[in-house]
Amino acid sequence: MADKAKIAILISGRGSNMAAFVYAAKSSDCPYDIMLVASNDPAAPGLQLAAAENITTFAHPHKGLSREAHDQIMHEAIVRSGAEYVVLAGYMRILSDGFVNKWTDRMLNIHPSLLPKYKGLDTYQRAIDAGDKVAGCSVHLVTAELDDGPVLAQTEVAILPGDDADTLASRTLIAEHQLYPATVARYVTREADPEWILNQVRQRALDLAETHERESFGSPGWRVGSEKNGKYFAYFTQKLHGEAGVGLLVKTSGPDEQAALIDADPELYYSPKFYGPSGWIAIRLNTGRTDWEHIEQWLYKSWCLVAPKRLTRLIAIADQF
C-alpha cells in the first residue's frame, strides 16, 4: 500500500482510545503508523501501555508553565517524531491558539456527544436531563473554539431506561473505540479518494465569478459565462476519455507552455489524450500530496484565459485597490 500516514496521540490518563488506535494499527491494511504517544502527565497509565507496545513516548508536566510554553514543548516533541497528524485521545488540556494553528486541518478530537449538542463537560448527564433518546460521540477537526471544528463522523448511542451518566458513558466509550480509529483512517487517506478530490476542485472552481458546473462526457466540468454561451476552463478527469487516474484539466497559453510544464515535472503534469493537442494540461490529483493553493492558481489562470473581457477587466480594476 502507499506510504502510511504518521500520527501522534496526546493523552492525559489511561488512554483507552489510544489503545484502540494501537491495536487498529497492528492490521496490515491500517493506513497510519503511530509515531508518538505524548502526555502532560508523566504518570499517565496510557504511557506504560504505549511503551509496552514499542511506541515512542514523551511526557512533560504542564504545572508551572504557561499554556503557550507547554504547548510549544509538546509541539516540538511531535515534530521530532515525524508525525503529520495529531490525535487527541483524552488530552485534558485546552490548547493555545498558536498550537491549534500549527496543526490546522491535521488535528482531530473525539467528543462524547452528538455535536453541536452539549459542547464542554458533563455531556452524558446533560443528554439524560434533556430527555434525549440518543446520545453519542463525534469526531471533529480541532479549531480554536472548543468543540467547534467541522464534524467528520458520529455514532449514536441509545439512552436506556434507568441510565445514569456512568452507564451511558461506558457504552459510549465502546462506540468511540470503533468510530475514532476508522474516522482517522478515512481522513488520512482522503487525498486518494476521488469524491473528496472532486469536492475540493468543485469548491475552488465555483468560487470564481460567474462559474457554473456542467457535465462533459460523463465528467464534471466548469464554465465561465452564461449557461448558454459559457466556455469551459476546467474538467475533472477520472478515466475521462480513457485517462488513467484522477486529475484536473486546465488551459495553458499554448503548446510551448504545455511542453515546458511536462518537461519540468512529468510526475505532476501530462498531456491529456483528447484535450492535449488543444494546449490543455492535466495535473495529477491522486498523489496524496496535492498543493491546493497551486490548484487554485491554475483554476484562476485557466478561468482568465476564457472569461469574458468585462470580468477580467473588473478583476484587474479591483486588484488596483
Side-chain angles (χ1 to χ4, degrees):
M1 62 185 299
D3 290 344
K4 293 189 176 187
K6 300 176 176 61
I7 70 172
I9 303 176
L10 302 189
I11 65 172
S12 290
R14 60 178 177 165
S16 67
N17 266 308
M18 175 215 72
F21 279 95
V22 168
Y23 302 130
K26 290 178 180 287
S27 173
S28 60
D29 61 355
C30 181
Y32 56 76
D33 283 325
I34 302 171
M35 310 305 293
L36 178 72
V37 171
S39 180
N40 62 309
D41 182 1
L47 293 172
Q48 184 177 1
L49 171 62
E53 296 289 353
N54 297 313
I55 297 170
T56 300
T57 62
F58 174 83
H60 199 289
H62 61 270
K63 291 183 179 179
L65 294 173
S66 69
R67 193 175 306 279
E68 290 75 14
H70 185 262
D71 283 356
Q72 182 61 27
I73 291 170
M74 300 301 283
H75 170 74
E76 290 172 0
I78 295 166
V79 171
R80 284 196 303 271
S81 77
E84 303 160 314
Y85 295 90
V86 177
V87 173
L88 305 181
Y91 190 59
M92 305 305 291
R93 296 277 296 163
I94 295 175
L95 298 167
S96 63
D97 289 356
F99 184 90
V100 171
N101 291 337
K102 288 183 178 78
W103 294 96
T104 298
D105 294 333
R106 293 184 294 144
M107 181 158 55
L108 295 85
N109 184 44
I110 192 159
H111 182 73
S113 79
L114 297 173
L115 292 172
K117 277 189 170 183
Y118 313 130
K119 298 177 182 180
L121 301 175
D122 302 321
T123 59
Y124 308 112
Q125 192 61 53
R126 288 158 69 189
I128 293 170
D129 291 344
D132 292 349
K133 293 184 178 180
V134 295
C137 51
S138 306
V139 178
H140 64 96
L141 294 177
V142 177
T143 58
E145 186 172 346
L146 185 67
D147 300 330
D148 196 55
V151 173
L152 302 177
Q154 295 181 318
T155 297
E156 292 185 349
V157 176
I159 298 177
L160 303 180
D163 258 341
D164 59 23
D166 290 337
T167 58
L168 181 55
S170 66
R171 292 200 311 282
T172 303
L173 190 60
I174 296 171
E176 290 183 17
H177 294 171
Q178 300 292 316
L179 179 68
Y180 206 3
T183 303
V184 169
R186 288 194 301 272
Y187 190 74
V188 301
T189 56
R190 67 198 184 284
E191 291 207 25
D193 177 4
E195 191 63 32
W196 184 88
I197 295 169
L198 170 58
N199 285 333
Q200 297 302 306
V201 175
R202 177 179 283 130
Q203 292 168 18
R204 289 163 172 79
L206 293 177
D207 279 345
L208 297 168
E210 293 191 21
T211 292
H212 57 275
E213 184 172 320
R214 180 180 291 184
E215 195 170 275
S216 175
F217 295 97
S219 290
W222 294 274
R223 292 159 35 112
V224 56
S226 68
E227 286 284 348
K228 182 178 180 181
N229 298 317
K231 295 182 179 179
Y232 283 101
F233 66 91
Y235 299 94
F236 181 76
T237 173
Q238 185 183 6
K239 300 181 180 178
L240 175 63
H241 298 297
E243 299 285 351
V246 178
L248 173 68
L249 274 57
V250 288
K251 291 182 69 69
T252 68
S253 59
D256 289 344
E257 183 183 18
Q258 181 197 60
L261 289 166
I262 296 170
D263 286 343
D265 194 346
E267 292 187 0
L268 180 62
Y269 298 106
Y270 66 92
S271 176
K273 294 177 182 178
F274 186 80
Y275 294 93
S278 301
W280 290 68
I281 195 78
I283 308 171
R284 292 182 176 88
L285 297 179
N286 59 342
T287 62
R289 53 183 184 278
T290 299
D291 180 344
W292 289 104
E293 184 176 344
H294 183 64
I295 297 303
E296 285 182 11
Q297 293 168 354
W298 263 114
L299 285 166
Y300 177 67
K301 177 180 177 180
S302 188
W303 179 92
C304 288
L305 288 172
V306 302
K309 295 298 182 186
R310 60 179 176 79
L311 283 178
T312 55
R313 280 198 298 268
L314 286 174
I315 290 174
I317 292 171
D319 287 343
Q320 294 175 5
F321 295 94

